[in-house]
Amino acid sequence: MLAMIILIGPSASGKTEIAKILIKDYGFKKFVTTTTRSPRLNEINDMDYHFISINDFNNKISNKKFIEYVFYNDNYYGTTLEEIDDNKVLILEPKGLKEFLKLNDKNIVSFYIDASKETRYKRMVERKDKEEEILKRIHNDDKYFAESKKDVDYIIDNNSNETSLNKIAAQIYTLYINKIK
């Protein structure tokens, strides 16, 4: 039996920072996903993602090493079978969530982290993403994430500057514990 938290939401909605708090303060382990994209400033290979080449990614696909994978924003992302473990927090996109939901495990609890376009734009500027990349991601996310709210267990609003990420993480943890009891 798995007991995991899955976070989904558009770019810069706060998923990664919330996951870090769940790991640091609530004892979760990070489910490290695999990607072909380049690391961002301060990202560390095998901690933030497993950064691999397109060739290596295709080899893993051929060898059926992924639970799910997707081509998103010009890069591949995937979750490998070897990362499955109890007490992990995983960040996914909508198609990946659908694959995990097929497991029909009530102990996999999913959350949609919601934030407005304006909030997400501001966050991407603050993290020094390129303008053209920001606009592309916001445009793609509007289409890509539109239907996914109906697939999750809970929707969490992360628009307000007044609600700290620590409070949001605490809310997620409480909802998670109450659901898996």
Side-chain angles (χ1 to χ4, degrees):
M1 175 181 79
L2 291 174
M4 292 176 48
I5 289 177
I6 294 176
L7 303 175
I8 70 165
S11 301
S13 59
K15 305 174 300 289
T16 301
E17 295 307 312
I18 292 167
K20 286 177 184 176
I21 295 167
L22 289 167
I23 291 163
K24 181 176 137 298
D25 295 347
Y26 297 94
F28 282 86
K29 297 171 276 185
K30 181 177 178 30
F31 192 118
V32 181
T33 57
T34 301
T35 185
T36 59
R37 80 161 170 77
S38 298
R40 291 188 188 122
L41 187 65
N42 298 324
E43 284 183 328
I44 300 168
N45 189 35
D46 298 331
M47 284 185 63
D48 296 296
Y49 287 92
H50 299 295
F51 295 100
I52 64 173
S53 69
I54 291 173
N55 213 24
D56 288 345
F57 201 98
N58 285 329
N59 285 336
K60 286 185 180 290
I61 291 170
S62 298
N63 292 313
K64 301 190 182 325
K65 299 290 185 184
F66 290 108
I67 299 165
E68 59 79 36
Y69 65 91
V70 65
F71 188 73
Y72 175 70
N73 278 333
D74 300 324
N75 293 290
Y76 283 101
Y77 293 84
T79 54
T80 58
L81 292 164
E82 68 189 14
E83 278 288 327
I84 288 182
D85 199 2
D86 200 28
N87 203 29
K88 285 206 170 180
V89 60
L90 170 61
I91 297 171
L92 285 175
E93 46 67 55
K95 288 181 184 173
L97 174 65
K98 287 183 187 297
E99 291 303 312
F100 271 84
L101 293 177
K102 289 178 184 176
L103 298 174
N104 287 318
D105 190 328
K106 71 178 184 72
N107 293 313
I108 297 175
V109 186
S110 57
F111 297 86
Y112 184 96
I113 310 302
D114 202 9
S116 69
K117 286 183 202 181
E118 295 79 17
T119 298
R120 293 185 292 119
Y121 178 87
K122 180 181 172 202
R123 289 175 183 159
M124 284 188 261
V125 167
E126 287 171 358
R127 70 183 190 197
K128 307 217 182 316
D129 290 357
K130 294 178 182 159
E131 180 74 14
E132 93 180 35
E133 183 69 19
I134 293 170
L135 297 175
K136 179 178 165 186
R137 291 184 81 150
I138 287 175
H139 175 76
N140 288 346
D141 286 354
D142 286 346
K143 293 186 290 186
Y144 197 61
F145 284 88
E147 295 295 313
S148 59
K149 288 182 183 179
K150 67 179 176 29
D151 295 326
V152 297
D153 295 307
Y154 303 99
I155 298 171
I156 305 294
D157 177 45
N158 187 19
N159 275 306
S160 173
N161 290 331
E162 295 170 22
T163 305
S164 77
L165 291 178
N166 288 321
K167 286 183 182 175
I168 291 172
Q171 177 187 14
I172 288 171
Y173 181 74
T174 300
L175 291 167
Y176 166 77
I177 291 298
N178 289 336
K179 185 157 193 310
I180 65 169
K181 281 184 180 175

